[in-house]
Amino acid sequence: MAEDRGEGESTFEQKRMTVRQAVEASTAALGAIGERESSERLRIELTMKFVNRVAGGYEGKRVLELGSSLGLHLIAAKKLGASRVVGMDKYVFPEAGENAFYVSPEDMSVLRRAWTENGVEVMRGDLADPFPDGSFDLVVCNAVLEHVQGIHKHVFDEARRVLAPGGSFVLTTPNIASLLKRVRLLFGRSPNWDLKDFFDSGLEFTGHTREFTIAECRKMLEWSGFHPSAVMSKPSYFRWDWLWNPRKAHNVFFQLLSRLSSSLGDLIFAAGKKSANVIR
């Protein structure tokens, strides 16, 4: 299958490595622990292609990822020529305690070694607070906004602050108005996160606290001073072997059908550009 390349894709990537190859190489670099995010590879691959198309790719850029998890995207970005790659994450570090994203001290030592060997930095924290204004050319927030509570405005404001003039903020988040969720609501079923998990977890809940529509993502970018350069949705969680899984088979049908419209996919891809004429 031909690689999805955009006009912004660099000569480096065209000659040396495709997005898919970068994600595969990153997965191999993480070793066995990277298998935890096997279901996220397609999403990360699609996000990186989106960055190529609407944000000029990775080569030579200073990249910050908010909510970087195991660092799969970070290492892939470095392999595509980013000059500096930094990740911020609150939950993977052992200090965070038991949670859905927790990594044991033993596995963390493996991760730290992989990060160091691949030239990426990962810090424990929520946002971009430790960095001076204009420190990065690209900020990515991949499938994170739906998990946070009460700090959404701060996430957007901080992304804009640490971006250099002309830099891009790229985010992905589940589409509450996807085709499958519309059908669920039509039949009286909630499109929200599993109620039992939400009900039992209380203050320790790490699932989706709120999901958004395409129009809402565009508005949040505008309210934060970004120029929305692209906001759309695409099917992003898809596997053919779901056809043989009674609980997943219907997802294949809806994922295929949602390709008919850029508003019906399960994941929103949004990019905002910081004006080249401002310092902050």
Side-chain angles (χ1 to χ4, degrees), residues 162-198:
V162 300
L163 276 171
S168 293
F169 178 38
V170 172
L171 65 97
T172 71
T173 192
N175 181 12
I176 191 67
S178 70
L179 178 61
L180 178 56
K181 289 173 182 174
R182 293 186 194 203
V183 172
R184 283 178 174 165
L185 192 58
L186 184 64
F187 283 90
R189 294 184 59 188
S190 172
N192 293 312
W193 191 267
D194 177 69
L195 178 62
K196 189 71 164 63
D197 185 20
F198 174 79

Side-chain angles (χ1 to χ4, degrees), residues 246-264:
R247 297 184 61 186
K248 292 282 190 178
H250 68 285
N251 283 277
V252 177
F253 170 77
F254 283 105
Q255 292 284 52
L256 291 173
L257 200 58
S258 67
R259 294 176 181 270
L260 297 175
S261 170
S262 62
S263 66
L264 298 177

Side-chain angles (χ1 to χ4, degrees), residues 99-176:
N99 65 80
F101 308 102
Y102 173 82
V103 172
S104 70
E106 295 77 16
D107 285 340
M108 180 53 64
S109 65
V110 175
L111 271 182
R112 289 187 186 278
R113 184 163 58 250
W115 294 337
T116 301
E117 290 174 353
N118 288 277
V120 304
E121 311 162 52
V122 184
M123 305 176 186
R124 182 169 182 251
D126 271 327
L127 296 168
D129 297 334
F131 306 106
D133 296 358
S135 300
F136 297 94
D137 307 297
L138 172 67
V139 176
V140 178
C141 189
N142 202 351
V144 171
L145 285 179
E146 64 274 13
H147 293 280
V148 301
Q149 177 66 38
I151 60 172
H152 295 85
K153 185 178 188 302
H154 195 42
V155 171
F156 280 77
D157 288 346
E158 278 294 282
R160 184 174 181 274
R161 180 185 67 79
V162 300
L163 276 171
S168 293
F169 178 38
V170 172
L171 65 97
T172 71
T173 192
N175 181 12
I176 191 67

Side-chain angles (χ1 to χ4, degrees), residues 211-222:
E211 296 182 2
F212 304 91
T213 66
I214 290 174
E216 289 173 336
C217 288
R218 184 179 290 108
K219 281 295 184 185
M220 288 189 290
L221 287 170
E222 291 173 348

